[in-house]
Amino acid sequence: MPVSLRWITAYLDQPAASAADALAYWEALTGTRASTPRGEHDEFRTLVPPHGDAALRFQVVGDGDPRLHLDLHVDDVKAAALEAQRLGAQVVAEPESYVVLASPGGMPFCLVPYEGEREVALPMRGAGGRASAVDQVSLDIPPAAYVRECAFWEGLTGWTLRDEDSPEFMRLLRPAELPLGLLLQRLDDAPVEGAVSAHLDFAAGWDGADAEVARHLALGAEERWHSTWWVTLRDPYGRTYCITRRSPGKPMSS
């Protein structure tokens, strides 16, 4: 049966060499402020919104490329870990209070204790009152892993899996009380043996997306792809993400 998912957080994992500048960039993008560092090596920060509970956090990692992992906040970490393993996840590490796992396709995530988060932050308001919000994590999945990965995340979350207009997309319909949804994207040009990865999506609305893209470019982002519905950007520190024309603050729940 699905785990009792109480909150969901996206962790931006950033190599140490660029971490300080990348953190400042993402504070500016999201209208948040970084918390006091914590962890044995001061590697963890929370991106705190002006109102509501945080759904973005930041971790300094030793090397490699910028990457993303998920924290799933649950009441019973051990029971949730057993269910995740039954569905095909592999345990990577078991620190004292949480469990690090990988999905069947290799997407990293953690099961962590729920600590009372309950208020989804309001979208950020920019120039002209335009709103934007990071409200979705896109899982980027090689074709060979796609069917199993969709089944895994549907089974783990208990969220309804829905077809999108394009055959390479499926969406898990998040409850309105949670801050981040999950889009599952089949990458037909990905290496067959590649692992599942993830990126963040901003929702900026049909009328606000172009201005939001311009704001990001002014902060140093580079445009990598432009389509009718979304624009793919790369930040100055190596992280790819997207701005979409979905309406911010309105979960895809039906």
Side-chain angles (χ1 to χ4, degrees):
M1 60 182 297
V3 302
S4 179
L5 182 56
R6 304 292 299 276
W7 196 254
I8 181 170
T9 298
Y11 249 105
L12 292 87
D13 301 326
Q14 190 73 29
S18 58
D21 291 336
L23 177 61
Y25 178 86
W26 280 88
E27 285 181 289
L29 285 191
T30 58
T32 58
R33 60 172 178 80
S35 68
T36 301
R38 61 188 183 278
E40 184 178 356
H41 304 289
D42 287 343
E43 68 270 36
F44 299 118
R45 307 284 286 270
T46 298
L47 294 176
V48 181
H51 306 285
D53 292 313
L56 295 176
R57 298 189 183 187
F58 191 92
Q59 178 177 210
V60 180
V61 296
D63 53 19
D65 295 324
R67 49 194 182 268
L68 191 77
H69 77 265
L70 292 172
D71 273 10
L72 305 182
H73 303 232
V74 297
D75 288 323
D76 188 332
V77 169
K78 290 185 178 180
L82 289 173
E83 178 62 14
Q85 291 175 80
R86 187 188 70 80
L87 292 166
Q90 298 292 318
V91 172
V92 176
E94 296 186 71
E96 185 174 342
S97 63
Y98 63 97
V99 180
V100 183
L101 303 102
S103 73
M107 174 65 197
F109 68 100
C110 297
L111 293 166
V112 303
Y114 175 60
E115 296 181 344
E117 300 91 345
R118 62 180 69 249
E119 184 180 354
V120 176
L122 295 174
M124 176 185 176
R125 293 286 174 179
R130 297 185 183 92
S132 66
V134 176
D135 69 346
Q136 181 171 273
V137 174
S138 177
L139 302 180
D140 303 321
I141 307 170
Y146 191 68
V147 172
R148 188 178 184 190
E149 202 71 7
C150 287
F152 171 79
W153 290 101
E154 181 184 27
L156 188 67
T157 63
W159 300 355
T160 299
L161 188 66
R162 189 183 75 178
D163 286 317
E164 292 292 277
D165 293 335
S166 299
E168 70 270 27
F169 293 112
M170 297 284 282
R171 184 184 300 281
L172 284 165
L173 303 181
R174 68 175 170 100
E177 65 270 18
L178 294 181
L180 298 173
L182 294 176
L183 182 71
L184 298 105
Q185 180 178 7
R186 189 184 70 233
L187 299 181
D188 290 332
D189 58 351
V192 173
E193 300 300 325
V196 178
S197 59
H199 69 265
L200 294 176
D201 285 347
F202 284 75
W206 184 259
D207 295 329
D210 293 338
E212 183 70 359
V213 169
R215 182 175 76 90
H216 289 230
L217 295 177
L219 288 168
E222 174 190 1
E223 184 175 311
R224 305 300 297 271
W225 174 261
H226 195 119
S227 71
T228 301
W229 291 101
W230 75 88
V231 178
T232 302
L233 302 173
R234 186 180 179 91
D235 80 12
Y237 313 101
R239 183 178 305 278
T240 298
Y241 63 98
C242 293
I243 295 173
T244 78
R245 296 188 186 276
R246 290 179 298 103
S247 295
K250 295 181 178 180
M252 304 290 289
S253 58
S254 62

